């Protein structure tokens, strides 16, 4: 399996076009699901990194987060704004691969193929609600184990060992950034899971605690605004700041590029797992 890892971001290659210096995988949702199932079938680990506008901005400010994301075997465009920025800057990304949609597709595939999964993250009450709803939607899904996402950094190794002991082949992390990315970078391999996917706030949505934006809002790139309307005090200022910064990043990059500019630098590197 090909991928990336030297714990430093690289700037792309023919197979991994770069956006803002971060190499992305230009995959559709169907292609991503197939890659994940192939990883499970072969027993090869695949760590998945997701980027949206806010995370790309934060990666500029946080080298540890940037290294953790760039070191993943797959780095996908989770946000519609990332796909649009790619089009403006000449980086081909076929479609948005939303983390929650990939999560749901993989749960369905795991149920069908009898692949055990582990669910790590959220508050215990939210986790319990989500587990109940998952059991209703995917009654044959084998949940090898679960744990809330509230643990100290000193406990990360023990948490990874518990995942490994469960025999889970897919691990889903319902934790915020950068905690889930740093956990994946440091302990993803130790969990023994073939697929490690950070799904952020998806646990809250599946539990019914947070509402997801309607499809139209998602399609026109306003899912962030819908979330901000639900939690204006917590998210309003944050989204306004990061989205403005992302627009400025895109404008600066567009001005920097010229028709005579050569291809993206770099030829790729080995991934975290291989």
């Amino acid at each position: 399996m090909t991928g990336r890892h030297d714990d430093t971001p690289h700037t792309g290659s023919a197979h991994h076009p770069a956006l803002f210096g971060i190499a992305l995988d230009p995959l559709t949702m169907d292609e991503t699901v197939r890659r994940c199932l192939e990883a499970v079938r072969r027993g090869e680990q695949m760590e998945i990194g997701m980027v949206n506008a806010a995370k790309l901005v934060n990666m500029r400010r946080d080298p540890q987060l940037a290294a953790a994301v760039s070191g993943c075997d797959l780095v996908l465009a989770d946000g519609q704004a990332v796909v649009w920025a790619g089009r403006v800057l000449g980086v081909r990304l076929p479609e948005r691969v939303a983390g929650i949609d990939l999560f749901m597709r993989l749960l369905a595939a795991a149920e069908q193929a009898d692949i055990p999964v582990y669910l790590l993250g959220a508050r215990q009450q939210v986790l319990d609600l989500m587990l109940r709803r998952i059991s209703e939607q995917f009654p044959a899904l084998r949940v090898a184990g679960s744990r809330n996402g509230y643990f100290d950094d000193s406990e990360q190794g023990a948490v990874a060992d518990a995942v490994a002991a469960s025999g889970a082949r897919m691990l889903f992390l319902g934790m915020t950034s950068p905690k889930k990315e740093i956990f994946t970078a440091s302990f993803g391999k130790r969990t023994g899971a073939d697929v490690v996917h950070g799904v952020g706030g998806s646990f809250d949505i599946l539990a019914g605690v947070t509402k997801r934006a309607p499809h139209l809002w998602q399609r026109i790139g306003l899912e962030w605004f819908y979330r901000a309307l639900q939690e204006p005090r917590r998210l309003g200022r944050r989204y306004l700041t990061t989205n403005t910064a992302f627009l400025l990043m895109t404008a600066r990059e567009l001005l920097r590029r010229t028709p005579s500019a050569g291809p993206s630098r770099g030829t790729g590197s080995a991934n975290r797992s291989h």
Side-chain angles (χ1 to χ4, degrees):
M1 184 177 302
T2 59
R4 298 182 277 280
H5 175 63
D6 59 0
D7 282 336
T8 55
H10 69 89
T11 51
S13 68
H15 299 294
H16 299 105
L19 188 65
F20 306 116
I22 305 300
L24 301 176
D25 290 271
L27 301 176
T28 65
M29 177 66 76
D30 288 344
E31 290 169 339
T32 302
V33 172
R34 283 198 296 270
R35 290 277 192 96
C36 292
L37 294 179
E38 287 171 7
V40 173
R41 187 172 63 252
R42 297 174 181 173
E44 298 175 345
Q45 191 170 58
M46 175 171 287
E47 296 167 1
I48 301 172
M50 312 296 292
V51 294
N52 54 25
K55 191 177 295 183
L56 284 169
V57 170
N58 291 331
M59 286 165 68
R60 283 282 178 97
R61 304 166 178 169
D62 186 344
Q64 187 179 17
L65 174 62
V69 173
S70 296
C72 289
D73 300 281
L74 290 182
V75 182
L76 304 166
D78 176 51
Q80 187 61 46
V82 177
V83 176
W84 288 341
R87 290 175 186 169
V88 170
L89 298 173
V91 176
R92 179 191 168 273
L93 297 170
E95 65 182 19
R96 176 193 185 200
V97 181
I100 185 170
D101 293 333
L102 178 59
F103 180 29
M104 298 302 289
R105 287 284 301 271
L106 290 177
L107 287 178
E111 179 187 37
Q112 184 175 7
D114 193 31
I115 298 168
V117 305
Y118 197 102
L119 300 155
L120 173 60
R123 292 178 287 111
Q124 189 63 48
Q125 183 181 10
V126 171
L127 181 62
D128 291 341
L129 284 170
M130 185 194 66
L131 288 169
R132 192 175 309 137
R133 293 199 171 193
I134 282 179
S135 69
E136 295 169 356
Q137 189 166 353
F138 306 102
L141 178 68
R142 188 147 53 106
V143 178
S146 63
R147 191 199 191 286
N148 66 60
Y150 288 80
F151 51 87
D152 295 332
D153 289 348
S154 61
E155 299 178 88
Q156 290 185 100
V159 170
D161 291 340
V163 176
S166 76
R169 306 291 298 279
M170 291 184 178
L171 168 62
F172 300 102
L173 303 172
M175 301 187 290
T176 58
S177 294
K179 185 173 182 177
K180 67 178 180 294
E181 289 86 3
I182 292 172
F183 179 86
T184 298
S186 302
F187 296 96
K189 187 173 182 179
R190 185 164 162 177
T191 67
D194 298 317
V195 174
V196 181
H197 176 25
V199 300
S202 299
F203 284 17
D204 285 21
I205 293 174
L206 264 65
V209 174
T210 302
K211 290 184 179 179
R212 191 179 184 192
H215 182 70
L216 176 61
W217 290 59
Q218 297 174 41
R219 192 158 53 85
I220 63 177
L222 287 178
E223 191 166 8
W224 64 271
F225 187 57
Y226 188 87
R227 289 190 61 196
L229 289 176
Q230 293 184 73
E231 300 182 78
R233 288 191 174 185
R234 188 175 76 87
L235 298 177
R237 182 180 177 85
R238 181 193 307 177
Y239 279 130
L240 179 63
T241 301
T242 54
N243 286 351
T244 300
F246 185 75
L247 286 172
L248 291 173
M249 279 172 55
T250 304
R252 283 196 296 266
E253 184 67 14
L254 185 61
L255 289 173
R256 188 186 68 82
R257 298 188 179 202
T258 64
S260 59
S264 297
R265 302 183 305 278
T267 56
S269 59
N271 63 29
R272 206 179 347 260
S273 308
H274 308 294

